[in-house]
């Protein structure tokens, strides 16, 4: 299960605004490669939606069947706002519904580049 934790306003290529649902998976314990210590974290992903502001806000806290998986993508840079450190990532996190057939591994996801991500056209209300 994943939980909707917040809503973010986004803008499509043609300038129209829409609400994106930010979802989060369960707590995972990860071991630091540098120190060997464990820390708690949770995977997050974003899902586009057609919900208006009021409906989207009302969904916060709701659980959705599925999981968040790591998927390969073309390399991109992320800047740590606190330190200015630049990290190159080769993955992103994607939502996978429970109805989606389980592939052999996370490596079987379609590889996309950040530039290929397109947002759906929104119907005018």
């Amino acid at each position: 299960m994943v939980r909707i934790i917040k809503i973010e306003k986004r803008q499509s290529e043609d300038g129209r605004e829409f609400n994106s649902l930010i979802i989060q998976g369960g707590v995972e314990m990860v071991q630091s490669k540098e120190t060997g210590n464990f820390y708690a974290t949770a995977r997050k992903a974003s899902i586009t939606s057609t919900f208006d502001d009021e409906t989207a806000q009302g969904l916060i806290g709701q659980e959705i069947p599925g999981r968040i998986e790591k998927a390969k993508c073309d390399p991109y840079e992320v800047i740590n706002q606190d330190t200015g450190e630049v990290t190159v990532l080769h993955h992103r996190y994607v939502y996978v519904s429970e109805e989606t057939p389980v592939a052999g591994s996370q490596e079987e996801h379609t590889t996309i580049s950040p530039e290929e991500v397109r947002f759906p056209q929104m119907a005018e209300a």
Side-chain angles (χ1 to χ4, degrees):
M1 295 293 270
V2 298
R3 182 183 310 266
I4 300 170
I5 61 168
K6 70 179 179 176
I7 307 303
E8 289 184 358
K9 275 282 189 213
R10 302 270 171 91
Q11 195 170 38
S12 64
E13 286 183 350
D14 65 0
R16 288 188 275 180
E17 286 190 337
F18 63 94
N19 289 308
S20 185
L21 310 176
I22 309 303
I23 59 172
Q24 180 174 297
V27 174
E28 299 177 35
M29 297 305 293
V30 178
Q31 190 171 19
S32 169
K33 292 177 184 176
E34 291 183 21
T35 67
N37 294 330
F38 283 90
Y39 61 94
T41 190
R43 295 180 184 189
K44 292 181 186 176
S46 173
I47 302 175
T48 58
S49 80
T50 59
F51 299 122
D52 61 28
D53 293 350
E54 185 178 343
T55 302
Q57 286 295 328
L59 294 173
I60 294 175
Q62 184 170 337
E63 290 189 342
I64 301 170
R67 61 194 178 281
I68 298 173
E69 292 186 357
K70 193 181 212 180
K72 285 184 177 181
C73 70
D74 289 338
Y76 63 99
E77 292 182 347
V78 176
I79 300 172
N80 182 318
Q81 298 299 322
D82 295 330
T83 65
E85 178 183 5
V86 177
T87 304
V88 177
L89 297 179
H90 300 266
H91 70 275
R92 65 188 193 94
Y93 291 105
V94 297
Y95 168 74
V96 179
S97 73
E98 284 185 351
E99 291 79 36
T100 303
V102 176
S105 74
Q106 66 188 22
E107 310 303 325
E108 294 184 27
H109 287 290
T110 302
T111 301
I112 63 169
S113 69
E115 295 79 30
E116 293 176 307
V117 176
R118 298 286 183 255
F119 298 111
Q121 297 292 322
M122 301 295 292
E124 302 222 7

